[in-house]
Amino acid sequence: LDRADEGALIGLAYGTYTFEVWHRGLFCLKPRLVRKIKLVHNKVTENEWNYAVKLDAEAKFLRSMPDDAEKRHRNAEFLTDSILFRASKGTYFKILNNVYLLRNSLNDTTHIDSVLIHPTGLYLFENVQKTGWIYGDANSKSWHATKMKENVNRESNFENPMARSVRNEEALRRMFEGVDFSSIPCFSYIVFDDKAVLKEIPESTVNRKFVLRSQLLQSLLRTFSLATPVFSENEIGEFAKELAALSDQ
């Protein structure tokens, strides 16, 4: 036994627990203490353990799914969420998936793939599964993905992810209209598959970034290190409750 599992402490009071490992050899009647393992159990470690269990369950479910569009979408979401989990370890956070928000009074909705509620602010994530060369600008309705297949240049169009990102932020602001949302840091990430090449797209800004998935972890860690914490653990929990009612959690 090299380490103790946080899962053994779920439901117990927060604190520091010590696990003792004893060994009794074949010809030794009296056992001897060979190792003590200390484990800090608190709200942060419990939250991490719960989310790790959730990711493991999702990985198993994905392996059972047929290889279709739904699986590819869920897999992209899973890969992104796994990176959010790695980046956020050591802090109290919440990750919600498939959050549906009202766009206007006509009951039109908009969809956010993942929302990370972190001590340093709200983080919104959109996954773009297109591969090949990516072209688009801030104002166009559609962006384009171009790639060679069987010596033929093939182009496909997809919704402008930047426009969707802006729309999601606006919907989130309306949801929390009773709060001074301008004081809450909000960061949007548009995450592309690593097989994409970002040829001609808008420049990333402090609050809106276009990244390949392999770049996401370092980008998040840098943003976390530069940002100032604004949410307490209780506030993160309250925000999560509000959004959970609008998600598939």
Side-chain angles (χ1 to χ4, degrees):
L1 180 66
D2 295 318
R3 63 184 180 85
D5 192 337
E6 169 73 18
L9 302 178
I10 298 301
L12 298 181
Y14 294 148
T16 300
Y17 290 79
T18 300
F19 292 78
E20 295 183 349
V21 182
W22 292 77
H23 175 72
R24 184 169 65 186
L26 184 61
F27 301 106
C28 181
L29 296 178
K30 186 177 180 180
R32 63 187 179 87
L33 179 65
V34 295
R35 182 179 293 119
K36 287 187 177 182
I37 302 172
K38 285 190 176 181
L39 183 67
V40 176
H41 173 55
N42 55 38
K43 197 171 183 178
V44 171
T45 60
E46 186 175 61
N47 183 63
E48 287 180 3
W49 186 84
N50 286 330
Y51 202 76
V53 169
K54 178 182 176 181
L55 285 175
D56 285 343
E58 179 67 8
K60 292 177 182 177
F61 181 75
L62 284 168
R63 288 194 291 270
S64 71
M65 291 183 68
D67 188 12
D68 55 16
E70 181 184 357
K71 178 176 183 176
R72 290 189 290 273
H73 172 78
R74 288 190 67 145
N75 188 61
E77 191 175 274
F78 169 77
L79 293 173
T80 295
D81 287 355
S82 298
I83 294 171
L84 306 189
F85 174 62
R86 289 175 59 194
S88 302
K89 289 184 73 172
T91 65
Y92 188 72
F93 65 92
K94 292 293 181 182
I95 300 173
L96 299 101
N97 300 115
N98 299 316
V99 178
Y100 293 87
L101 301 174
L102 284 176
R103 293 178 56 188
N104 50 46
S105 59
L106 301 178
N107 291 330
D108 291 336
T109 59
T110 187
H111 166 264
I112 308 174
D113 286 340
S114 300
V115 176
L116 168 65
I117 310 174
H118 187 269
T120 58
L122 297 175
Y123 294 76
L124 283 57
F125 299 86
E126 298 298 326
N127 296 302
V128 180
Q129 299 178 58
K130 294 294 184 179
T131 59
W133 290 6
I134 307 297
Y135 299 87
D137 60 58
N139 299 316
S140 59
K141 184 177 180 180
S142 299
W143 284 21
H144 313 284
T146 303
K147 60 181 177 180
M148 293 293 293
K149 187 173 183 179
E150 298 176 354
N151 296 322
V152 177
N153 191 27
R154 299 181 183 274
E155 181 176 293
S156 60
N157 298 332
F158 59 99
E159 181 186 5
N160 180 344
M162 182 173 179
R164 181 173 172 177
S165 173
V166 171
R167 187 169 68 229
N168 289 342
E169 285 183 27
E170 292 174 347
L172 198 61
R173 291 178 189 279
R174 280 194 293 272
M175 178 181 175
F176 294 108
E177 59 185 358
V179 179
D180 181 11
F181 201 90
S182 62
S183 65
I184 299 176
C186 186
F187 305 89
S188 291
Y189 276 82
I190 299 166
V191 184
F192 290 84
D193 188 279
D194 283 333
K195 293 182 180 179
V197 179
L198 309 182
K199 294 295 287 185
E200 295 181 11
I201 64 170
E203 292 287 335
S204 290
T205 64
V206 172
N207 293 89
R208 182 171 290 104
K209 299 185 184 300
F210 304 88
V211 297
L212 301 179
R213 188 167 286 108
S214 59
Q215 301 169 332
L216 179 58
L217 179 61
Q218 289 304 316
S219 181
L220 281 171
L221 291 175
R222 177 171 173 77
T223 300
F224 293 167
S225 69
L226 296 174
T228 302
V230 294
F231 291 147
S232 66
E233 291 180 355
N234 288 338
E235 287 171 329
I236 290 173
E238 289 302 314
F239 270 114
K241 286 180 183 178
E242 292 278 347
L243 291 176
L246 305 171
S247 74
D248 63 359
Q249 304 304 299

